[in-house]
Amino acid sequence: NAGVTQTPKFRILKIGQSMTLQCTQDMNHNYMYWYRQDPGMGLKLIYYSVGAGITDKGEVPNGYNVSRSTTEDFPLRLELAAPSQTSVYFCASSPTRVSSYEQYFGPGTRLTVT
Amino acid sequence: AQRVTQPEKLLSVFKGAPVELKCNYSYSGSPELFWYVQYSRQRLQLLLRHISRESIKGFTADLNKGETSFHLKKPFAQEEDSAMYYCALNRSKAAGNKLTFGGGTRVLVKP
């Protein structure tokens, strides 16, 4: 299993541009998450999904959108990129068994907005 | 509001010395706490969870509800323990298992 994969690894955007960060998992997990990590800070939840067709906001959703049309994919869309969105973005997934709350993380996407 | 605090941004210890990473939380319900670790050039991964009461790679962590703490300890640090460590709180067991992370502690184990 590849686990959680993210593309691209790095990206530089100009202010006002848009892009989609891709996230795919092959573990058949129902729960998926997007986090951002600013320098020297912990991870903050942007959006999450508990299954295909169901998404909800996390702590810092402004400026982002998500969709979940399949169990495997959970893309994150940035519209009108701003310098404040410069960050490292992590996607994660989790099984829904009651006894297991481990989240499995992707390698991250480092985004710079200039 | 739920909050996780890791007061030390950097811990530097010598190999063989004990290491303790502090984690304090605020949460009104029954907490579920985790330690995640990120080694250099690797993904963030689960180290241990309080509910398992296990020792992983020599690390243990005890949940102290009275002091609202979940400190991570290892009696004899090894160079391979050098990494970023994050304490995390599951704040929504009923809907999505959303985690709140602390700011992280970088551990440097010197030879």
Side-chain angles (χ1 to χ4, degrees), chain B residues 21-95:
Chain B
L21 290 73
K22 291 185 168 49
C23 172
N24 290 93
Y25 66 91
S26 62
Y27 184 61
S28 56
S30 182
E32 289 183 347
L33 287 146
F34 306 82
W35 278 98
Y36 279 80
V37 61
Q38 188 170 28
Y39 301 102
S40 179
R41 289 186 290 277
Q42 293 189 28
R43 303 176 184 210
L44 193 62
Q45 58 188 282
L46 179 68
L47 179 62
L48 55 78
R49 69 199 92 188
H50 92 268
I51 198 169
S52 302
R53 301 186 64 83
E54 55 200 345
S55 173
I56 302 291
K57 300 185 179 182
F59 284 98
T60 59
D62 291 320
L63 177 60
N64 186 323
K65 292 185 180 180
E67 296 183 358
T68 60
S69 69
F70 187 55
H71 303 330
L72 182 69
K73 303 175 187 178
K74 184 168 182 176
F76 307 103
Q78 303 299 312
E79 290 181 68
E80 55 265 30
D81 297 328
S82 296
M84 277 294 295
Y85 292 81
Y86 296 94
C87 183
L89 166 72
N90 181 354
R91 67 179 188 271
S92 181
K93 292 165 282 201

Side-chain angles (χ1 to χ4, degrees), chain A residues 25 40 47 60 67 96 103:
Chain A
Q25 54 93 7
Y47 270 95
V60 290
S67 59
T96 51
Q103 291 188 14

Side-chain angles (χ1 to χ4, degrees), chain A residues 4 33 37 48 101 103 105, chain B residues 32 36 43 86 96-98:
Chain A
V4 180
Y33 312 84
Q37 183 179 32
Y48 70 101
Y101 298 119
Q103 291 188 14
F105 285 81
Chain B
E32 289 183 347
Y36 279 80
R43 303 176 184 210
Y86 296 94
N97 293 329
K98 299 189 288 289

Side-chain angles (χ1 to χ4, degrees), chain A residues 3-114:
Chain A
V4 180
T5 57
Q6 292 182 238
T7 57
K9 286 186 168 52
F10 304 95
R11 183 72 185 268
I12 298 174
L13 279 183
K14 294 190 186 306
I15 295 172
Q17 287 185 322
S18 301
M19 76 164 294
T20 299
L21 282 67
Q22 301 292 345
C23 175
T24 300
Q25 54 93 7
D26 62 0
M27 297 174 283
N28 201 33
H29 288 169
N30 280 330
Y31 290 1
M32 293 189 75
Y33 312 84
W34 273 106
Y35 295 91
R36 60 176 287 171
Q37 183 179 32
D38 299 329
M41 308 290 285
L43 284 72
K44 291 194 185 307
L45 183 66
I46 306 172
Y47 270 95
Y48 70 101
S49 168
V50 298
I54 307 170
T55 63
D56 207 348
K57 297 177 181 179
E59 303 168 80
V60 290
N62 292 345
Y64 307 94
N65 276 302
V66 293
S67 59
R68 184 96 181 270
S69 57
T70 67
T71 298
E72 294 78 19
D73 300 306
F74 190 41
L76 177 72
R77 177 83 178 160
L78 278 72
E79 305 280 3
L80 299 174
S84 61
Q85 293 178 304
T86 294
S87 191
V88 181
Y89 291 84
F90 291 99
C91 179
S93 71
S94 175
T96 51
R97 295 189 299 276
V98 173
S99 62
S100 176
Y101 298 119
E102 178 176 359
Q103 291 188 14
Y104 296 82
F105 285 81
T109 294
R110 187 174 296 275
L111 175 68
T112 302
V113 182
T114 62

